[in-house]
Amino acid sequence: MKKWTPKRRKLTSLFHAPTTKGIIMAASIAYVGGHLQYGVNFCMGQSYKQAIWVPSVTFNGCLQRELSWSCGVSKFLQIRKCNLFRSRTNENWKSFGTVITSAYLRDGSTKYFDFAVIGSGVAGLRYALEVAKHGSVAIITKAEPHESNTNYAQGGVSAVLCPSDSVESHMQDTIVAGAYLCDEESVKVVCTEGPDRIRELIAMGASFDHGDDGNLHLAREGGHSHHRIVHAADMTGREIERALLEAVVNDPNISVFKHHFAIDLLTSQDGSDTVCHGIDALNTETQEVVRFISKVTLLASGGAGHIYPSTTNPLVATGDGMAMAHRAQAVISNMEFVQFHPTALADEGLPIKPKKTRENSFLITEAVRGDGGILYNLSMERFMPLYDGRAELAPRDVVARSIDDQLKKRNEKYVLLDISHKPREKILSHFPNIANECLQHGLDITQQPIPVVPAAHYMCGGVRAGLQGETNVHGLYVAGEVACTGLHGANRLASNSLLEALVFARRAVQPSINYMKSSSLDLSASSLWTRPLVPKSLGSDVMHKILRITKEVRKELQSIMWKYVGIVRSTSRLQEAEQKIGKLEAKWETYLFEHGWQQTMVALEACEMRNLFCCAKLVVSSALARNESRGLHYMTDFPHLEESKRLPTVIFPSSHTTGTWSSRQLHQQPIVKSMV
């Protein structure tokens, strides 16, 4: 096994790109006092209408500590013509302390909280429970509170809880799986603090499986060298979600706003700094826009699996948080690394087909292979040893590519995962949810192999976060799948996602409390931003047409992403995807605005489409930037891993006062002169 040794480089704090059409571009990053600080400066020359991608911009060195992995820019800064707001944030905003929920309402459309949490998965709930000890908390969630990626996580949570295991071993497994692109500090923090986070869950009432010896039953999954997966049968996420939600419901300082779709972050400019003041959300039950003004905002909104047609993610995973953060000038990183779970249930191979197409693929947990499951093609030939010495226990990127290769070579639609050679009682006790789902469709997994196929599963990239969940936007923190902490590198190790969410949600607590205590709210602040409009004025006929077209466009975008930006990629196909997505987005937006749509109008389907376009473009742009094959990103024209390219892909802030609807906020950032 290759020994990983981190390479430390000194940071070049400022770099300049060549002047293009009169535009002088410069960007800087600094690590100051434990916080990320980014700046982008523009000196505008003559008019420039198109986005510029500046290639091959690299640092001579590397940011220290939290930013140690962000020591270069694989490709680009996105620059658009802009007028940056030059203003100052008044430090003497009217004080607004913690009060009971009923006092937050100045009117039905504006609410004031100390903390706003977007998302109700493990990251958002765990964070909310801690900060609620210090102030009022709003949890804004898109559907029902339990409807999150956490709830669908089957396998478990990885943590070093066995005497024969070690933090160093967990770190090494994580770094190897991540193709040596992981941040050493992030990996160390998560692997070291993980066991305590598990113990906290148990203390809160989460019930995990135990062995005959009375100790926690620890499973093993692909990429792990030890048994370290804490689980609750094959419904671990559901059990964690249950325990956390129960605690949240019983906390008087937390208010949960279900069926509230987050539209855009509310931001202002303080000189060159962007400051977050809360969010706008659409109540999808009443069709009213609600404005949440908060001192601190945590993004814990999950991933973007629905940029692809087949995903294990629930319907809510449309990349809303990543898109909102990008529009709000947050730094985005490593979006090319999309993890395809190798084993989602292939409905076509079931004896009894589902009556209707699933909204999301049913996951067959990694733990099935960890427990001895074997992969066969339809001729019952075991194929994984042909691709990797670790066979079925290879990391997910290897297994997914191997299955993809088998399907293409043999012109077949699925492969088979067989666990039937194991004792029936063990199968049913470890995988009751999977056994029940398959049995409903005429398949007994204790006797027959399971038909499986890869499906989009997890975004390893996202909003760039420091070791305390901080972003370059002041007052905005991130945790969970929406964040890019550097832990996963180029490929997430199995069962590290729930662990990362728990650790970083907890680490974001103290800096959030400190920021909250040093901030204050102005009760008149709500009027600073243009109010989004619900398009009632367009009439039902026009809205019906818009929704029909949007549904068709969504399917077309997903098809493009699967065909051109899937498990195996090439430069020419990525470029084709970029062109097709650009044309599709322009066509969709033209249709909307020709039918009376306005810049500030909002509807759930249209806003989700807006976010899907934004995330798809981020993935394609990042993929084009990486001219090597590393982890989840495999390029047929660059099939080898290049040590010189062991750098993250970084998308720096840019102004979006021009460009597509998906690329800019619905409102302009206000000039904050005085809020006394």
Side-chain angles (χ1 to χ4, degrees):
M1 182 179 292
K2 181 180 178 181
K3 177 68 175 177
W4 180 68
T5 54
K7 292 189 174 181
R8 298 291 183 181
R9 303 177 177 89
K10 294 181 179 180
L11 168 68
T12 299
S13 62
L14 188 67
F15 63 84
H16 294 275
T19 302
T20 307
K21 292 193 175 183
I23 302 177
I24 301 173
M25 297 157 287
S28 62
I29 309 178
Y31 176 82
V32 182
H35 295 279
L36 302 180
Q37 295 188 359
Y38 296 77
V40 178
N41 303 312
F42 302 85
C43 298
M44 303 309 302
Q46 64 186 37
S47 175
Y48 193 81
K49 297 181 180 180
Q50 300 296 321
I52 303 171
W53 298 104
V54 184
S56 302
V57 183
T58 58
F59 290 114
N60 294 329
C62 187
L63 297 179
Q64 55 182 308
R65 296 176 40 165
E66 275 87 336
L67 280 178
S68 62
W69 64 285
S70 291
C71 49
V73 182
S74 298
K75 187 175 181 183
F76 47 86
L77 291 170
Q78 186 179 18
I79 310 297
R80 296 184 186 276
K81 183 178 179 181
C82 63
N83 294 309
L84 290 181
F85 292 106
R86 293 292 173 183
S87 60
R88 61 186 180 88
T89 301
N90 192 290
E91 296 179 357
N92 297 313
W93 279 24
K94 295 179 182 178
S95 178
F96 188 83
T98 302
V99 295
I100 60 174
T101 305
S102 60
Y104 299 141
L105 289 168
R106 294 194 66 226
D107 55 60
S109 60
T110 305
K111 304 178 190 297
Y112 295 82
F113 287 86
D114 293 314
F115 304 92
V117 177
I118 305 172
S120 59
V122 61
L125 297 181
R126 190 68 192 90
Y127 173 90
L129 286 167
E130 292 299 321
V131 297
K133 300 172 185 176
H134 302 270
S136 56
V137 184
I139 295 179
I140 298 110
T141 188
K142 190 172 176 179
E144 291 295 318
H146 66 269
E147 189 67 5
S148 65
N149 277 353
T150 296
N151 202 48
Y152 289 82
Q154 293 179 353
V157 190
S158 60
V160 177
L161 294 166
C162 177
S164 63
D165 198 1
S166 68
V167 168
E168 290 73 22
S169 178
H170 192 183
M171 288 180 62
Q172 182 73 2
D173 291 345
T174 299
I175 290 163
V176 170
Y180 301 91
L181 196 66
C182 306
D183 172 46
E184 180 191 14
E185 289 296 324
S186 180
V187 174
K188 183 177 181 180
V189 159
V190 172
C191 295
T192 302
E193 298 180 9
D196 285 341
R197 302 292 81 83
I198 301 299
R199 296 183 186 104
E200 287 173 355
L201 284 179
I202 295 172
M204 293 173 65
S207 179
F208 299 112
D209 289 359
H210 288 69
D212 295 335
D213 59 1
N215 295 320
L216 285 169
H217 182 271
L218 302 177
R220 184 182 176 190
E221 296 181 350
H224 289 274
S225 58
H226 289 75
H227 288 76
R228 62 167 70 102
I229 313 302
V230 181
H231 63 99
D234 58 352
M235 297 171 282
T236 309
R238 189 180 303 176
E239 172 59 17
I240 294 173
E241 186 82 0
R242 180 205 61 77
L244 292 175
L245 273 175
E246 188 173 301
V248 162
V249 168
N250 292 323
D251 194 312
N253 266 1
I254 301 176
S255 300
V256 179
F257 296 87
K258 63 181 181 179
H259 298 288
H260 279 62
F261 171 76
I263 301 166
D264 261 333
L265 295 168
L266 300 171
T267 56
S268 67
Q269 287 297 130
D270 180 12
S272 61
D273 294 330
T274 303
V275 183
C276 182
H277 307 282
I279 70 153
D280 275 336
L282 174 66
N283 184 329
T284 55
E285 292 186 320
T286 65
Q287 293 301 304
E288 294 175 327
V289 174
V290 183
R291 178 156 287 173
F292 292 86
I293 303 295
S294 61
K295 298 176 184 177
V296 177
T297 301
L298 175 81
L299 262 183
S301 53
H306 282 275
I307 59 175
Y308 292 95
S310 178
T311 176
T312 62
N313 294 182
L315 273 177
V316 295
T318 52
D320 308 321
M322 296 168 184
M324 283 192 298
H326 178 60
R327 292 192 290 264
Q329 308 291 294
V331 175
I332 308 294
S333 191
N334 285 359
M335 288 292 285
E336 69 270 35
F337 299 119
V338 181
Q339 186 174 77
F340 291 85
H341 199 290
T343 57
L345 185 62
D347 290 340
E348 288 184 271
L350 292 170
I352 303 173
K353 308 294 188 295
K355 294 180 180 179
K356 61 178 182 179
T357 304
R358 296 180 193 266
E359 293 177 339
N360 54 294
S361 301
F362 184 82
L363 177 66
I364 305 298
T365 174
E366 189 98 0
V368 173
R369 286 184 286 118
D371 247 16
I374 298 174
L375 285 164
Y376 298 96
N377 57 35
L378 296 189
S379 297
M380 291 307 293
E381 299 167 338
R382 187 182 184 188
F383 58 84
M384 275 309 303
L386 301 175
Y387 295 93
D388 193 283
R390 292 163 291 185
E392 283 79 11
L393 290 178
R396 291 177 178 179
D397 61 323
V398 175
V399 180
R401 278 197 301 275
S402 302
I403 293 174
D404 182 70
D405 187 58
Q406 283 285 305
L407 297 180
K408 288 175 179 175
K409 284 180 177 178
R410 298 174 59 84
N411 194 29
E412 294 172 349
K413 295 185 177 180
Y414 57 88
V415 296
L416 300 170
L417 176 60
D418 189 24
I419 192 71
S420 65
H421 53 279
K422 293 291 182 176
R424 176 183 176 84
E425 295 75 17
K426 182 177 180 180
I427 295 171
L428 294 179
S429 65
H430 286 187
F431 311 113
N433 190 39
I434 294 172
N436 181 61
E437 179 66 26
C438 290
L439 198 59
Q440 289 182 33
H441 299 285
L443 190 145
D444 181 354
I445 68 170
T446 68
Q447 300 292 326
Q448 302 163 279
I450 308 167
V452 294
V453 68
H457 183 59
Y458 189 88
M459 302 294 294
C460 290
V463 184
R464 179 69 181 100
L467 281 183
Q468 294 180 312
E470 76 274 23
T471 71
N472 61 297
V473 177
H474 296 284
L476 179 66
Y477 296 80
V478 289
E481 191 173 350
V482 70
C484 184
T485 66
L487 172 70
H488 305 308
N491 178 36
R492 175 174 70 88
L493 180 65
S495 289
N496 265 1
S497 55
L498 291 177
L499 186 71
E500 178 198 37
L502 287 166
V503 170
F504 276 91
R506 192 67 182 80
R507 290 183 69 85
V509 169
Q510 192 56 52
S512 296
I513 294 168
N514 295 341
Y515 190 92
M516 182 275 291
K517 289 181 176 178
S518 66
S519 304
S520 55
L521 293 178
D522 180 5
L523 298 181
S524 65
S526 178
S527 62
L528 291 173
W529 296 273
T530 305
R531 289 269 181 179
L533 302 171
V534 176
K536 296 177 181 177
S537 61
L538 299 184
S540 59
D541 289 345
V542 171
M543 280 305 300
H544 178 74
K545 292 178 182 178
I546 287 175
L547 294 179
R548 179 177 55 81
I549 291 297
T550 299
K551 187 175 181 179
E552 293 174 2
V553 168
R554 179 167 171 156
K555 288 182 178 179
E556 190 171 348
L557 174 67
Q558 292 170 332
S559 177
I560 292 169
M561 290 297 291
W562 178 251
K563 185 176 181 179
Y564 298 98
V565 201
I567 297 172
V568 176
R569 304 163 177 175
S570 70
T571 300
S572 61
R573 293 178 71 77
L574 288 172
Q575 290 172 340
E576 192 168 352
E578 190 174 48
Q579 293 173 0
K580 287 180 178 292
I581 291 170
K583 290 179 181 178
L584 182 63
E585 183 181 26
K587 178 182 176 182
W588 177 67
E589 287 193 6
T590 298
Y591 184 89
L592 258 63
F593 290 104
E594 283 181 349
H595 283 76
W597 197 266
Q598 297 176 30
Q599 160 72 15
T600 55
M601 283 184 172
V602 292
L604 175 63
E605 295 84 354
C607 287
E608 281 188 333
M609 191 70 249
R610 174 177 178 242
N611 294 335
L612 289 168
F613 269 123
C614 183
C615 287
K617 290 187 294 183
L618 291 173
V619 170
V620 173
S621 298
S622 297
L624 279 168
R626 187 168 294 281
N627 296 329
E628 65 163 350
S629 289
R630 184 181 294 273
L632 298 164
H633 176 71
Y634 186 83
M635 298 279 282
T636 56
D637 45 345
F638 298 100
H640 304 295
L641 186 149
E642 299 286 343
E643 176 59 23
S644 63
K645 300 183 186 299
R646 186 161 65 88
L647 302 167
T649 307
V650 182
I651 303 176
F652 284 91
S654 61
S655 174
H656 297 303
T657 54
T658 60
T660 63
W661 192 46
S662 72
S663 301
R664 61 182 185 269
Q665 293 175 308
L666 295 187
H667 51 73
Q668 287 189 333
Q669 293 182 341
I671 300 175
V672 186
K673 292 183 178 179
S674 177
M675 293 187 183
V676 179

